[in-house]
Amino acid sequence: MKPLFGNTRGIGALSAIAGLAVITLLFLFPRFVESTYALHIMILIFISIVMGSSWNLLGGYTGQYSVGHSAYFGMGAYTTMILMQFRQVPPWLGIWCGMAAALVVALVIGSICFRLRGPYFVLASIAVAEIFRVSALNLKNVTNGAEGILTTEVPPLKIGATLITDFSSKVPFYYTGLAFVLLVILVTWLIQNSKLGYYFQAIREDQDAAHSLGISLTFYKNVALSLSAVLTSLAGSLYAVYVGFIDPSTVLALDLSVQIVLICIIGGIGTIFGPVIGALVLVPLSEALRSNMIGGFLISSGIVKADSAFGSFLTENLSHAHVLIYGILVVVVILFMPDGVLGFAKAVAARKRKEVA
């Protein structure tokens, strides 16, 4: 007897049905969940997915590891916020300006940095992000320096005289974030299944062999960087409009660049849904650590006594240990799941199918 989903067509149909079911549930989520905190977590997950998927186009598919993607995130955030706060430009126009600015910066940086290979490109990407961060700190008349930019009201979205939404709650941000996620996943899927995606992967696997086949390394690396930067700026714009406050230490920081890379490493580099899995792991974990939810649960459930030395350690220090937990998580993933959580799940599923057969 043949297994029900033992062929490619059957697995593809099952994946399509599951995908439609998930999208439907996500669209209905705000109708059944009234918790603003749950919506907040979902919006953060959406922003993280957009960040990770954007980096994945450059690092995962083309093999050009950038640890300076906060530059493009901050470019989108600052462009949108400056235009909205100081020039009264609606954010939905500012987002396009942020994407255009990120594209120009990516082309300039790519034309210079892609002359470098290996660790030199990584170091150059860090240097670029630091240049943007220091510039934002010192250009006080434009960026407000270390004080950052604060806005308390988001202009409503209108088409003509018709009001689409007034952004007075988290729900419009939820659906905007969901739309951005579907966009980046669609872009990634289209690239993965196109000639462009094959060129990217050829460059990732062996640059010299790809060049010998006539693939222009500099051109296609610039294409990958441009796409990645534009989509990353999209995440930055959404973050800025949603949170309502930005400063150099939050949207241009090196640890943000590292977090973007970690999303892909943990979920699975070079796959469509790897960044989705990575964001689903990292964002709830990060929020649980920041709010000390884990320590509170251990103490309230009686597993750890509040007046013990370990209980005091959890209460006082665990909320500041998210970077340490990130590091431990990455080490575990690299040692035991080198292809990320998604790659590990695929390997387990393949082993199960062999056992059934």
Side-chain angles (χ1 to χ4, degrees), residues 47-72 121-122 125 184 188 200 204 224-233 235 256-271 274-275:
I47 293 173
S48 296
I49 292 173
V50 176
M51 291 192 306
S53 296
S54 304
W55 183 90
N56 200 32
L57 292 174
L58 180 67
Y61 285 95
T62 318
Q64 306 302 302
Y65 290 168
S66 164
V67 193
H69 256 46
S70 62
Y72 309 112
F121 174 72
V122 177
S125 68
V184 293
T188 306
F200 286 175
R204 179 190 65 192
L225 176 59
S226 299
L227 287 169
S228 180
V230 166
L231 294 174
T232 303
S233 78
L256 174 63
S257 296
V258 174
Q259 184 182 349
I260 294 173
V261 180
L262 290 183
I263 290 170
C264 297
I265 290 177
I266 291 174
I269 288 180
T271 60

Side-chain angles (χ1 to χ4, degrees), residues 138-195:
N138 290 282
L139 295 173
K140 294 183 179 179
N141 56 338
V142 178
T143 63
N144 223 20
E147 295 178 5
I149 303 174
L150 172 68
T151 184
T152 56
E153 185 178 356
V154 181
L157 176 61
K158 293 182 178 179
I159 296 180
T162 305
L163 177 66
I164 304 302
T165 179
D166 57 4
F167 291 94
S168 58
S169 70
K170 294 184 183 299
V171 175
F173 292 106
Y174 175 92
Y175 283 115
T176 304
L178 178 58
F180 286 178
V181 167
L182 296 178
L183 173 66
V184 293
I185 289 177
L186 176 63
V187 169
T188 306
W189 182 83
L190 290 173
I191 289 176
Q192 179 176 286
N193 295 283
S194 68
K195 187 184 291 184

